[in-house]
Amino acid sequence: MNPVNSATGSIQGDSVATVSPIARPPLRAPKESTVIQLQQTVVNNGVVGSSSDTNNSNISSKLSVKAQEFIPKSYAAGNTSSLSQVNEANKSLSASAPIFVPRQSAYNQGYQNYNTTTTNDSHIYNPVMEEFYKTITILTSQPGNVEEYMNRLYEYLQPVKSKDILDNIINSLYDQCIAEPNFRYTGARICQHICKHLNNHPVFKDFRTSLLKRCKVDYDKRESLLLDQQTSSRVYGLAMFMSELFLNVENVQAGRVEKFNVLGTGLIDITLSLLAYPTKDNIKCAVQLLKLAGAAIEDIPDSQIQSVFDRLSQLQVSDVHENAKFMIKSVIDLRSNNWGRGESTSSSTDGLDASMGDLNLANNVLECEPVFFDAKGQRITRAEAGYQDEADEESDYMLNEEEELDYLQWAQENGMGDGGQYPEWSYDGYNLAGDGYNLPEEYGDNDPECTPEVMEAYEQYLKNNPS
């Protein structure tokens, strides 16, 4: 064992290095100028204590977290130096302020309100509304599963006999579509689903009519709602939801599928009301409405959409915001390009030419010809992209004369008939007068191998093995 040096704490040995602790110099005393500067700073900040003996004095500060500098100006008006005014300002702060409440909370509140239905002044649990709200909640976050969840919901809607449930469903669905922009398209699909699958239901056959009546309530109040900044967003939601209904909800008359032109006419009225008060938000909503449903509105016979664009042209040269002018120009250009539907057609084009144009557009879409681009984003041809032309690709599968003769010879040797085609099915063996096939002689009673002994043994086998 190697001895330990008691002085250094290291192990003594032939191959063991000596380790000594690192010596650190002591901290130096602060300079006199620094001490004087610190003392002067303490005095200037109003600290109570002796400036000559700062190490032993009890230092206290007058700083406060409720000082005027820390109070938001929006909550503390005027002179807030006094503690009473600060406390009063703090009382107005709330974690449940409207700005912190998610938009879906109104829908959740509706869920609690409609969770029960009133009958004879007593609240009864309603499983239909419970399932409906579950479905809406899921489809709000998973809109792609409309078919699956609506089919499940129909099991609850089929036995419904009360119109109160119909009204509750329409009101809650309408409120959710107005409040949640991302749900409007899904809500329109739900409406179309119910109108299509429950059109003969004793209660839900009136779903479409009741829904339009609910929309008409806010439609009639649109002017007063637009005058109040707090309620103008409800008109925006109504405009976009009605656009989705106009595009997705269809009416079948005499075997023909038609849109509800009354919705298109209502959308024109709403757009004109928005443009009558040309704020930036109103113009933005009108432009969004036209980009979404403008093409379908213009297809309505005797459409008055030109009055909307006359108003937009007036606003484009007025003193509205520059961003609003840019949005107006974008929708005017979109209409001049026939709403992005291909070649522009004049209003005097007859119905036959218009239908042929749509047919040609459909044919171009169905061709599915790929488009190729180079590294710079420039469009190039199929050959430049390294792919053969379709005619060359088809020629690769065509046989030359020598290959075709070899194939015909191989087909005849393998019993495939002339031309390499398999023989057609023959009905010679089928007994049209009876109920089965006439087996050839080699499989019938004339089969030399089918002796009575063989038949008897086969009958015995079937009896012993009934399965």
Side-chain angles (χ1 to χ4, degrees):
M1 176 180 293
N2 294 326
V4 179
N5 191 329
S6 59
T8 62
S10 61
I11 302 176
Q12 296 179 350
D14 296 337
S15 60
V16 180
T18 304
V19 180
S20 60
I22 299 175
R24 292 192 177 124
L27 295 176
R28 65 175 178 82
K31 296 181 180 179
E32 184 177 358
S33 59
T34 303
V35 174
I36 295 175
Q37 184 178 2
L38 290 175
Q39 292 176 352
Q40 186 66 29
T41 302
V42 171
V43 172
N44 292 337
N45 289 339
V47 177
V48 180
S50 174
S51 59
S52 61
D53 190 10
T54 58
N55 293 331
N56 298 327
S57 61
N58 295 326
I59 300 177
S60 61
S61 175
K62 294 182 180 180
L63 299 178
S64 173
V65 295
K66 297 182 179 180
Q68 181 179 359
E69 289 77 9
F70 302 112
I71 302 299
K73 295 180 180 179
S74 58
Y75 292 100
N79 185 13
T80 56
S81 58
S82 64
L83 184 59
S84 60
Q85 291 180 335
V86 172
N87 293 335
E88 188 66 24
N90 290 336
K91 291 180 181 179
S92 63
L93 301 176
S94 175
S96 59
I99 194 173
F100 302 117
V101 179
R103 286 179 295 186
Q104 295 186 13
S105 63
Y107 175 74
N108 295 332
Q109 182 66 29
Y111 174 82
Q112 298 175 1
N113 294 338
Y114 292 111
N115 195 10
T116 57
T117 180
T118 304
T119 304
N120 298 329
D121 297 332
S122 63
H123 293 280
I124 303 175
Y125 171 77
N126 193 331
V128 177
M129 296 305 302
E130 175 78 14
E131 184 65 23
F132 176 77
Y133 281 108
K134 286 182 180 178
T135 302
I136 298 304
T137 302
I138 295 174
L139 292 180
T140 300
S141 58
Q142 303 177 18
N145 298 331
V146 173
E147 299 281 346
E148 175 185 353
Y149 286 98
M150 288 304 297
N151 291 334
R152 184 186 306 175
L153 181 62
Y154 292 148
E155 298 179 1
Y156 290 84
L157 299 182
Q158 287 290 352
V160 171
K161 298 181 181 180
S162 173
K163 291 206 172 190
D164 292 339
I165 295 181
L166 173 63
D167 295 337
N168 290 343
I169 288 178
I170 290 177
N171 289 330
S172 56
L173 182 62
Y174 177 83
D175 291 338
Q176 177 71 352
C177 292
I178 295 298
E180 182 56 49
N182 294 330
F183 185 76
R184 289 164 189 162
Y185 171 69
T186 303
R189 291 182 61 192
I190 292 174
C191 295
Q192 171 62 12
H193 244 276
I194 295 177
C195 294
K196 180 179 179 180
H197 294 277
L198 299 179
N199 57 341
N200 295 324
H201 192 276
V203 175
F204 287 95
K205 66 181 180 180
D206 299 328
F207 179 85
R208 183 188 296 113
T209 304
S210 301
L211 177 64
L212 294 178
K213 289 181 180 179
R214 180 62 187 88
C215 294
K216 190 175 184 300
V217 174
D218 286 343
Y219 170 82
D220 293 337
K221 298 187 300 182
R222 64 186 185 277
E223 298 287 345
S224 59
L225 293 175
L226 286 173
L227 294 176
D228 188 354
Q229 189 176 2
Q230 300 295 330
T231 58
S232 59
S233 60
R234 192 164 186 84
V235 181
Y236 306 154
L238 172 65
M240 302 310 296
F241 179 49
M242 286 182 60
S243 301
E244 295 290 359
L245 289 176
F246 181 58
L247 295 175
N248 291 278
V249 179
E250 299 172 339
N251 184 27
V252 180
Q253 293 289 347
R256 298 180 57 184
V257 179
E258 300 176 349
K259 294 186 180 299
F260 282 94
N261 293 340
V262 64
L263 286 173
T265 305
L267 289 173
I268 293 178
D269 296 338
I270 292 178
T271 306
L272 291 174
S273 298
L274 290 169
L275 299 179
Y277 307 95
T279 63
K280 183 179 177 181
D281 291 336
N282 289 1
I283 295 177
K284 178 181 178 181
C285 179
V287 170
Q288 289 177 338
L289 186 155
L290 292 172
K291 288 184 176 181
L292 177 62
I297 295 174
E298 191 161 22
D299 292 339
I300 299 176
D302 301 328
S303 174
Q304 301 298 322
I305 196 173
Q306 184 59 40
S307 60
V308 175
F309 281 89
D310 291 341
R311 176 58 178 163
L312 288 173
S313 299
Q314 296 174 1
L315 294 176
Q316 195 174 17
V317 296
S318 63
D319 56 349
V320 297
H321 196 275
E322 290 298 326
N323 289 344
K325 291 182 178 180
F326 178 79
M327 290 186 289
I328 293 174
K329 182 179 183 302
S330 66
V331 73
I332 292 177
D333 293 342
L334 181 63
R335 190 198 183 200
S336 63
N337 292 324
N338 196 26
W339 304 100
R341 296 184 293 187
E343 294 296 331
S344 177
T345 57
S346 61
S347 58
S348 61
T349 303
D350 55 48
L352 179 61
D353 293 339
S355 62
M356 291 302 295
D358 293 340
L359 180 60
N360 293 334
L361 178 61
N363 291 335
N364 293 334
V365 174
L366 293 176
E367 287 180 359
C368 297
E369 174 65 22
V371 180
F372 300 94
F373 297 91
D374 59 9
K376 298 181 180 180
Q378 303 295 328
R379 186 169 180 174
I380 59 178
T381 63
R382 185 187 185 96
E384 292 174 343
Y387 294 92
Q388 295 180 345
D389 292 336
E390 293 184 357
D392 296 337
E393 292 181 356
E394 293 178 357
S395 64
D396 293 342
Y397 299 97
M398 297 179 63
L399 301 177
N400 56 36
E401 184 177 356
E402 182 179 355
E403 292 173 341
E404 186 174 0
L405 291 176
D406 292 341
Y407 175 71
L408 292 175
Q409 181 180 358
W410 173 84
Q412 291 178 355
E413 292 175 356
N414 290 273
M416 296 179 62
D418 296 337
Q421 302 293 331
Y422 285 97
E424 297 182 357
W425 289 102
S426 174
Y427 291 93
D428 295 339
Y430 189 76
N431 183 9
L432 296 177
D435 57 355
Y437 285 91
N438 290 330
L439 295 176
E441 293 184 356
E442 60 268 21
Y443 297 103
D445 296 337
N446 297 329
D447 186 1
E449 296 183 1
C450 187
T451 61
E453 291 80 7
V454 174
M455 294 294 297
E456 183 178 358
Y458 181 68
E459 292 286 346
Q460 186 63 30
Y461 170 77
L462 293 178
K463 293 179 181 180
N464 297 335
N465 299 275
S467 59

mmCIF file with all atom_site columns, all heavy atoms in Angstrom, residues 354-375:
data_model
loop_
_atom_site.group_PDB
_atom_site.id
_atom_site.type_symbol
_atom_site.label_atom_id
_atom_site.label_alt_id
_atom_site.label_comp_id
_atom_site.label_asym_id
_atom_site.label_entity_id
_atom_site.label_seq_id
_atom_site.pdbx_PDB_ins_code
_atom_site.Cartn_x
_atom_site.Cartn_y
_atom_site.Cartn_z
_atom_site.occupancy
_atom_site.B_iso_or_equiv
_atom_site.pdbx_formal_charge
_atom_site.auth_seq_id
_atom_site.auth_comp_id
_atom_site.auth_asym_id
_atom_site.auth_atom_id
_atom_site.pdbx_PDB_model_num
ATOM 1   N N   . ALA A 1 354 ? -73.548 28.297 -74.540 1.00 0.00 ? 354 ALA A N   1
ATOM 2   C CA  . ALA A 1 354 ? -73.016 28.254 -73.170 1.00 0.00 ? 354 ALA A CA  1
ATOM 3   C C   . ALA A 1 354 ? -72.850 26.821 -72.710 1.00 0.00 ? 354 ALA A C   1
ATOM 4   O O   . ALA A 1 354 ? -71.848 26.463 -72.085 1.00 0.00 ? 354 ALA A O   1
ATOM 5   C CB  . ALA A 1 354 ? -73.945 29.014 -72.230 1.00 0.00 ? 354 ALA A CB  1
ATOM 6   N N   . SER A 1 355 ? -73.836 25.972 -73.020 1.00 0.00 ? 355 SER A N   1
ATOM 7   C CA  . SER A 1 355 ? -73.735 24.577 -72.603 1.00 0.00 ? 355 SER A CA  1
ATOM 8   C C   . SER A 1 355 ? -72.607 23.866 -73.331 1.00 0.00 ? 355 SER A C   1
ATOM 9   O O   . SER A 1 355 ? -71.904 23.021 -72.756 1.00 0.00 ? 355 SER A O   1
ATOM 10  C CB  . SER A 1 355 ? -75.068 23.858 -72.864 1.00 0.00 ? 355 SER A CB  1
ATOM 11  O OG  . SER A 1 355 ? -75.371 23.867 -74.256 1.00 0.00 ? 355 SER A OG  1
ATOM 12  N N   . MET A 1 356 ? -72.375 24.205 -74.635 1.00 0.00 ? 356 MET A N   1
ATOM 13  C CA  . MET A 1 356 ? -71.273 23.598 -75.366 1.00 0.00 ? 356 MET A CA  1
ATOM 14  C C   . MET A 1 356 ? -69.934 24.048 -74.794 1.00 0.00 ? 356 MET A C   1
ATOM 15  O O   . MET A 1 356 ? -68.984 23.262 -74.738 1.00 0.00 ? 356 MET A O   1
ATOM 16  C CB  . MET A 1 356 ? -71.367 23.988 -76.841 1.00 0.00 ? 356 MET A CB  1
ATOM 17  C CG  . MET A 1 356 ? -72.542 23.353 -77.572 1.00 0.00 ? 356 MET A CG  1
ATOM 18  S SD  . MET A 1 356 ? -72.507 21.546 -77.512 1.00 0.00 ? 356 MET A SD  1
ATOM 19  C CE  . MET A 1 356 ? -71.009 21.241 -78.448 1.00 0.00 ? 356 MET A CE  1
ATOM 20  N N   . GLY A 1 357 ? -69.872 25.325 -74.351 1.00 0.00 ? 357 GLY A N   1
ATOM 21  C CA  . GLY A 1 357 ? -68.638 25.779 -73.721 1.00 0.00 ? 357 GLY A CA  1
ATOM 22  C C   . GLY A 1 357 ? -68.344 25.022 -72.451 1.00 0.00 ? 357 GLY A C   1
ATOM 23  O O   . GLY A 1 357 ? -67.202 24.655 -72.179 1.00 0.00 ? 357 GLY A O   1
ATOM 24  N N   . ASP A 1 358 ? -69.385 24.766 -71.644 1.00 0.00 ? 358 ASP A N   1
ATOM 25  C CA  . ASP A 1 358 ? -69.193 23.991 -70.419 1.00 0.00 ? 358 ASP A CA  1
ATOM 26  C C   . ASP A 1 358 ? -68.769 22.572 -70.742 1.00 0.00 ? 358 ASP A C   1
ATOM 27  O O   . ASP A 1 358 ? -67.959 21.973 -70.032 1.00 0.00 ? 358 ASP A O   1
ATOM 28  C CB  . ASP A 1 358 ? -70.483 23.980 -69.595 1.00 0.00 ? 358 ASP A CB  1
ATOM 29  C CG  . ASP A 1 358 ? -70.819 25.362 -69.062 1.00 0.00 ? 358 ASP A CG  1
ATOM 30  O OD1 . ASP A 1 358 ? -69.906 26.216 -69.002 1.00 0.00 ? 358 ASP A OD1 1
ATOM 31  O OD2 . ASP A 1 358 ? -71.984 25.584 -68.723 1.00 0.00 ? 358 ASP A OD2 1
ATOM 32  N N   . LEU A 1 359 ? -69.312 22.012 -71.843 1.00 0.00 ? 359 LEU A N   1
ATOM 33  C CA  . LEU A 1 359 ? -68.953 20.652 -72.226 1.00 0.00 ? 359 LEU A CA  1
ATOM 34  C C   . LEU A 1 359 ? -67.497 20.570 -72.648 1.00 0.00 ? 359 LEU A C   1
ATOM 35  O O   . LEU A 1 359 ? -66.766 19.639 -72.285 1.00 0.00 ? 359 LEU A O   1
ATOM 36  C CB  . LEU A 1 359 ? -69.855 20.171 -73.366 1.00 0.00 ? 359 LEU A CB  1
ATOM 37  C CG  . LEU A 1 359 ? -69.597 18.750 -73.892 1.00 0.00 ? 359 LEU A CG  1
ATOM 38  C CD1 . LEU A 1 359 ? -69.786 17.742 -72.770 1.00 0.00 ? 359 LEU A CD1 1
ATOM 39  C CD2 . LEU A 1 359 ? -70.516 18.433 -75.055 1.00 0.00 ? 359 LEU A CD2 1
ATOM 40  N N   . ASN A 1 360 ? -67.036 21.567 -73.423 1.00 0.00 ? 360 ASN A N   1
ATOM 41  C CA  . ASN A 1 360 ? -65.639 21.572 -73.837 1.00 0.00 ? 360 ASN A CA  1
ATOM 42  C C   . ASN A 1 360 ? -64.718 21.722 -72.627 1.00 0.00 ? 360 ASN A C   1
ATOM 43  O O   . ASN A 1 360 ? -63.654 21.114 -72.567 1.00 0.00 ? 360 ASN A O   1
ATOM 44  C CB  . ASN A 1 360 ? -65.392 22.722 -74.816 1.00 0.00 ? 360 ASN A CB  1
ATOM 45  C CG  . ASN A 1 360 ? -66.124 22.515 -76.143 1.00 0.00 ? 360 ASN A CG  1
ATOM 46  O OD1 . ASN A 1 360 ? -66.389 21.376 -76.521 1.00 0.00 ? 360 ASN A OD1 1
ATOM 47  N ND2 . ASN A 1 360 ? -66.469 23.608 -76.819 1.00 0.00 ? 360 ASN A ND2 1
ATOM 48  N N   . LEU A 1 361 ? -65.133 22.551 -71.672 1.00 0.00 ? 361 LEU A N   1
ATOM 49  C CA  . LEU A 1 361 ? -64.333 22.705 -70.461 1.00 0.00 ? 361 LEU A CA  1
ATOM 50  C C   . LEU A 1 361 ? -64.245 21.402 -69.701 1.00 0.00 ? 361 LEU A C   1
ATOM 51  O O   . LEU A 1 361 ? -63.189 21.022 -69.193 1.00 0.00 ? 361 LEU A O   1
ATOM 52  C CB  . LEU A 1 361 ? -64.941 23.800 -69.578 1.00 0.00 ? 361 LEU A CB  1
ATOM 53  C CG  . LEU A 1 361 ? -64.246 24.049 -68.233 1.00 0.00 ? 361 LEU A CG  1
ATOM 54  C CD1 . LEU A 1 361 ? -62.807 24.486 -68.460 1.00 0.00 ? 361 LEU A CD1 1
ATOM 55  C CD2 . LEU A 1 361 ? -64.992 25.091 -67.427 1.00 0.00 ? 361 LEU A CD2 1
ATOM 56  N N   . ALA A 1 362 ? -65.388 20.678 -69.629 1.00 0.00 ? 362 ALA A N   1
ATOM 57  C CA  . ALA A 1 362 ? -65.383 19.387 -68.935 1.00 0.00 ? 362 ALA A CA  1
ATOM 58  C C   . ALA A 1 362 ? -64.473 18.394 -69.631 1.00 0.00 ? 362 ALA A C   1
ATOM 59  O O   . ALA A 1 362 ? -63.751 17.626 -68.989 1.00 0.00 ? 362 ALA A O   1
ATOM 60  C CB  . ALA A 1 362 ? -66.805 18.842 -68.848 1.00 0.00 ? 362 ALA A CB  1
ATOM 61  N N   . ASN A 1 363 ? -64.462 18.402 -70.998 1.00 0.00 ? 363 ASN A N   1
ATOM 62  C CA  . ASN A 1 363 ? -63.598 17.480 -71.723 1.00 0.00 ? 363 ASN A CA  1
ATOM 63  C C   . ASN A 1 363 ? -62.139 17.781 -71.465 1.00 0.00 ? 363 ASN A C   1
ATOM 64  O O   . ASN A 1 363 ? -61.311 16.874 -71.332 1.00 0.00 ? 363 ASN A O   1
ATOM 65  C CB  . ASN A 1 363 ? -63.899 17.567 -73.223 1.00 0.00 ? 363 ASN A CB  1
ATOM 66  C CG  . ASN A 1 363 ? -65.269 17.009 -73.563 1.00 0.00 ? 363 ASN A CG  1
ATOM 67  O OD1 . ASN A 1 363 ? -65.795 16.181 -72.828 1.00 0.00 ? 363 ASN A OD1 1
ATOM 68  N ND2 . ASN A 1 363 ? -65.845 17.456 -74.675 1.00 0.00 ? 363 ASN A ND2 1
ATOM 69  N N   . ASN A 1 364 ? -61.797 19.069 -71.397 1.00 0.00 ? 364 ASN A N   1
ATOM 70  C CA  . ASN A 1 364 ? -60.408 19.424 -71.109 1.00 0.00 ? 364 ASN A CA  1
ATOM 71  C C   . ASN A 1 364 ? -59.996 18.969 -69.725 1.00 0.00 ? 364 ASN A C   1
ATOM 72  O O   . ASN A 1 364 ? -58.860 18.572 -69.503 1.00 0.00 ? 364 ASN A O   1
ATOM 73  C CB  . ASN A 1 364 ? -60.227 20.940 -71.243 1.00 0.00 ? 364 ASN A CB  1
ATOM 74  C CG  . ASN A 1 364 ? -60.401 21.411 -72.680 1.00 0.00 ? 364 ASN A CG  1
ATOM 75  O OD1 . ASN A 1 364 ? -60.190 20.638 -73.614 1.00 0.00 ? 364 ASN A OD1 1
ATOM 76  N ND2 . ASN A 1 364 ? -60.796 22.669 -72.858 1.00 0.00 ? 364 ASN A ND2 1
ATOM 77  N N   . VAL A 1 365 ? -60.912 19.033 -68.786 1.00 0.00 ? 365 VAL A N   1
ATOM 78  C CA  . VAL A 1 365 ? -60.594 18.608 -67.428 1.00 0.00 ? 365 VAL A CA  1
ATOM 79  C C   . VAL A 1 365 ? -60.411 17.101 -67.370 1.00 0.00 ? 365 VAL A C   1
ATOM 80  O O   . VAL A 1 365 ? -59.519 16.577 -66.695 1.00 0.00 ? 365 VAL A O   1
ATOM 81  C CB  . VAL A 1 365 ? -61.695 19.073 -66.459 1.00 0.00 ? 365 VAL A CB  1
ATOM 82  C CG1 . VAL A 1 365 ? -61.447 18.501 -65.074 1.00 0.00 ? 365 VAL A CG1 1
ATOM 83  C CG2 . VAL A 1 365 ? -61.737 20.589 -66.402 1.00 0.00 ? 365 VAL A CG2 1
ATOM 84  N N   . LEU A 1 366 ? -61.260 16.363 -68.106 1.00 0.00 ? 366 LEU A N   1
ATOM 85  C CA  . LEU A 1 366 ? -61.211 14.909 -68.034 1.00 0.00 ? 366 LEU A CA  1
ATOM 86  C C   . LEU A 1 366 ? -59.979 14.336 -68.726 1.00 0.00 ? 366 LEU A C   1
ATOM 87  O O   . LEU A 1 366 ? -59.644 13.174 -68.513 1.00 0.00 ? 366 LEU A O   1
ATOM 88  C CB  . LEU A 1 366 ? -62.485 14.318 -68.666 1.00 0.00 ? 366 LEU A CB  1
ATOM 89  C CG  . LEU A 1 366 ? -63.786 14.615 -67.907 1.00 0.00 ? 366 LEU A CG  1
ATOM 90  C CD1 . LEU A 1 366 ? -64.974 14.064 -68.674 1.00 0.00 ? 366 LEU A CD1 1
ATOM 91  C CD2 . LEU A 1 366 ? -63.745 14.022 -66.509 1.00 0.00 ? 366 LEU A CD2 1
ATOM 92  N N   . GLU A 1 367 ? -59.314 15.103 -69.595 1.00 0.00 ? 367 GLU A N   1
ATOM 93  C CA  . GLU A 1 367 ? -58.136 14.572 -70.263 1.00 0.00 ? 367 GLU A CA  1
ATOM 94  C C   . GLU A 1 367 ? -56.999 14.312 -69.278 1.00 0.00 ? 367 GLU A C   1
ATOM 95  O O   . GLU A 1 367 ? -56.217 13.387 -69.467 1.00 0.00 ? 367 GLU A O   1
ATOM 96  C CB  . GLU A 1 367 ? -57.674 15.557 -71.342 1.00 0.00 ? 367 GLU A CB  1
ATOM 97  C CG  . GLU A 1 367 ? -58.589 15.577 -72.572 1.00 0.00 ? 367 GLU A CG  1
ATOM 98  C CD  . GLU A 1 367 ? -58.096 16.566 -73.615 1.00 0.00 ? 367 GLU A CD  1
ATOM 99  O OE1 . GLU A 1 367 ? -57.057 17.231 -73.349 1.00 0.00 ? 367 GLU A OE1 1
ATOM 100 O OE2 . GLU A 1 367 ? -58.726 16.675 -74.664 1.00 0.00 ? 367 GLU A OE2 1
ATOM 101 N N   . CYS A 1 368 ? -56.891 15.124 -68.243 1.00 0.00 ? 368 CYS A N   1
ATOM 102 C CA  . CYS A 1 368 ? -55.887 14.919 -67.194 1.00 0.00 ? 368 CYS A CA  1
ATOM 103 C C   . CYS A 1 368 ? -54.478 14.872 -67.781 1.00 0.00 ? 368 CYS A C   1
ATOM 104 O O   . CYS A 1 368 ? -53.666 14.026 -67.401 1.00 0.00 ? 368 CYS A O   1
ATOM 105 C CB  . CYS A 1 368 ? -56.182 13.649 -66.384 1.00 0.00 ? 368 CYS A CB  1
ATOM 106 S SG  . CYS A 1 368 ? -57.732 13.699 -65.504 1.00 0.00 ? 368 CYS A SG  1
ATOM 107 N N   . GLU A 1 369 ? -54.188 15.707 -68.737 1.00 0.00 ? 369 GLU A N   1
ATOM 108 C CA  . GLU A 1 369 ? -52.860 15.775 -69.325 1.00 0.00 ? 369 GLU A CA  1
ATOM 109 C C   . GLU A 1 369 ? -51.919 16.465 -68.344 1.00 0.00 ? 369 GLU A C   1
ATOM 110 O O   . GLU A 1 369 ? -52.195 17.577 -67.893 1.00 0.00 ? 369 GLU A O   1
ATOM 111 C CB  . GLU A 1 369 ? -52.905 16.539 -70.647 1.00 0.00 ? 369 GLU A CB  1
ATOM 112 C CG  . GLU A 1 369 ? -51.537 16.791 -71.271 1.00 0.00 ? 369 GLU A CG  1
ATOM 113 C CD  . GLU A 1 369 ? -50.841 15.510 -71.691 1.00 0.00 ? 369 GLU A CD  1
ATOM 114 O OE1 . GLU A 1 369 ? -51.541 14.499 -71.892 1.00 0.00 ? 369 GLU A OE1 1
ATOM 115 O OE2 . GLU A 1 369 ? -49.608 15.515 -71.803 1.00 0.00 ? 369 GLU A OE2 1
ATOM 116 N N   . PRO A 1 370 ? -50.804 15.830 -67.977 1.00 0.00 ? 370 PRO A N   1
ATOM 117 C CA  . PRO A 1 370 ? -49.895 16.458 -67.011 1.00 0.00 ? 370 PRO A CA  1
ATOM 118 C C   . PRO A 1 370 ? -49.200 17.673 -67.612 1.00 0.00 ? 370 PRO A C   1
ATOM 119 O O   . PRO A 1 370 ? -49.005 17.769 -68.836 1.00 0.00 ? 370 PRO A O   1
ATOM 120 C CB  . PRO A 1 370 ? -48.898 15.339 -66.686 1.00 0.00 ? 370 PRO A CB  1
ATOM 121 C CG  . PRO A 1 370 ? -48.922 14.449 -67.884 1.00 0.00 ? 370 PRO A CG  1
ATOM 122 C CD  . PRO A 1 370 ? -50.330 14.499 -68.404 1.00 0.00 ? 370 PRO A CD  1
ATOM 123 N N   . VAL A 1 371 ? -48.837 18.606 -66.751 1.00 0.00 ? 371 VAL A N   1
ATOM 124 C CA  . VAL A 1 371 ? -48.108 19.802 -67.139 1.00 0.00 ? 371 VAL A CA  1
ATOM 125 C C   . VAL A 1 371 ? -46.721 19.707 -66.540 1.00 0.00 ? 371 VAL A C   1
ATOM 126 O O   . VAL A 1 371 ? -46.558 19.409 -65.348 1.00 0.00 ? 371 VAL A O   1
ATOM 127 C CB  . VAL A 1 371 ? -48.828 21.076 -66.650 1.00 0.00 ? 371 VAL A CB  1
ATOM 128 C CG1 . VAL A 1 371 ? -48.053 22.317 -67.071 1.00 0.00 ? 371 VAL A CG1 1
ATOM 129 C CG2 . VAL A 1 371 ? -50.245 21.133 -67.192 1.00 0.00 ? 371 VAL A CG2 1
ATOM 130 N N   . PHE A 1 372 ? -45.693 19.965 -67.356 1.00 0.00 ? 372 PHE A N   1
ATOM 131 C CA  . PHE A 1 372 ? -44.306 19.813 -66.926 1.00 0.00 ? 372 PHE A CA  1
ATOM 132 C C   . PHE A 1 372 ? -43.644 21.182 -66.841 1.00 0.00 ? 372 PHE A C   1
ATOM 133 O O   . PHE A 1 372 ? -43.918 22.081 -67.667 1.00 0.00 ? 372 PHE A O   1
ATOM 134 C CB  . PHE A 1 372 ? -43.530 18.934 -67.920 1.00 0.00 ? 372 PHE A CB  1
ATOM 135 C CG  . PHE A 1 372 ? -44.102 17.542 -68.079 1.00 0.00 ? 372 PHE A CG  1
ATOM 136 C CD1 . PHE A 1 372 ? -44.995 17.259 -69.095 1.00 0.00 ? 372 PHE A CD1 1
ATOM 137 C CD2 . PHE A 1 372 ? -43.756 16.526 -67.197 1.00 0.00 ? 372 PHE A CD2 1
ATOM 138 C CE1 . PHE A 1 372 ? -45.526 15.992 -69.248 1.00 0.00 ? 372 PHE A CE1 1
ATOM 139 C CE2 . PHE A 1 372 ? -44.287 15.258 -67.333 1.00 0.00 ? 372 PHE A CE2 1
ATOM 140 C CZ  . PHE A 1 372 ? -45.180 14.988 -68.358 1.00 0.00 ? 372 PHE A CZ  1
ATOM 141 N N   . PHE A 1 373 ? -42.756 21.340 -65.835 1.00 0.00 ? 373 PHE A N   1
ATOM 142 C CA  . PHE A 1 373 ? -42.027 22.583 -65.625 1.00 0.00 ? 373 PHE A CA  1
ATOM 143 C C   . PHE A 1 373 ? -40.561 22.253 -65.427 1.00 0.00 ? 373 PHE A C   1
ATOM 144 O O   . PHE A 1 373 ? -40.205 21.167 -64.924 1.00 0.00 ? 373 PHE A O   1
ATOM 145 C CB  . PHE A 1 373 ? -42.560 23.337 -64.400 1.00 0.00 ? 373 PHE A CB  1
ATOM 146 C CG  . PHE A 1 373 ? -43.998 23.769 -64.538 1.00 0.00 ? 373 PHE A CG  1
ATOM 147 C CD1 . PHE A 1 373 ? -45.023 22.952 -64.101 1.00 0.00 ? 373 PHE A CD1 1
ATOM 148 C CD2 . PHE A 1 373 ? -44.311 24.990 -65.103 1.00 0.00 ? 373 PHE A CD2 1
ATOM 149 C CE1 . PHE A 1 373 ? -46.339 23.335 -64.226 1.00 0.00 ? 373 PHE A CE1 1
ATOM 150 C CE2 . PHE A 1 373 ? -45.620 25.397 -65.226 1.00 0.00 ? 373 PHE A CE2 1
ATOM 151 C CZ  . PHE A 1 373 ? -46.635 24.564 -64.793 1.00 0.00 ? 373 PHE A CZ  1
ATOM 152 N N   . ASP A 1 374 ? -39.700 23.194 -65.818 1.00 0.00 ? 374 ASP A N   1
ATOM 153 C CA  . ASP A 1 374 ? -38.269 23.000 -65.595 1.00 0.00 ? 374 ASP A CA  1
ATOM 154 C C   . ASP A 1 374 ? -37.868 23.566 -64.241 1.00 0.00 ? 374 ASP A C   1
ATOM 155 O O   . ASP A 1 374 ? -38.724 23.988 -63.451 1.00 0.00 ? 374 ASP A O   1
ATOM 156 C CB  . ASP A 1 374 ? -37.475 23.660 -66.724 1.00 0.00 ? 374 ASP A CB  1
ATOM 157 C CG  . ASP A 1 374 ? -37.751 25.147 -66.835 1.00 0.00 ? 374 ASP A CG  1
ATOM 158 O OD1 . ASP A 1 374 ? -38.417 25.699 -65.927 1.00 0.00 ? 374 ASP A OD1 1
ATOM 159 O OD2 . ASP A 1 374 ? -37.318 25.772 -67.820 1.00 0.00 ? 374 ASP A OD2 1
ATOM 160 N N   . ALA A 1 375 ? -36.565 23.585 -63.972 1.00 0.00 ? 375 ALA A N   1
ATOM 161 C CA  . ALA A 1 375 ? -36.081 24.043 -62.662 1.00 0.00 ? 375 ALA A CA  1
ATOM 162 C C   . ALA A 1 375 ? -36.358 25.514 -62.428 1.00 0.00 ? 375 ALA A C   1
ATOM 163 O O   . ALA A 1 375 ? -36.454 25.956 -61.275 1.00 0.00 ? 375 ALA A O   1
ATOM 164 C CB  . ALA A 1 375 ? -34.578 23.766 -62.546 1.00 0.00 ? 375 ALA A CB  1
#
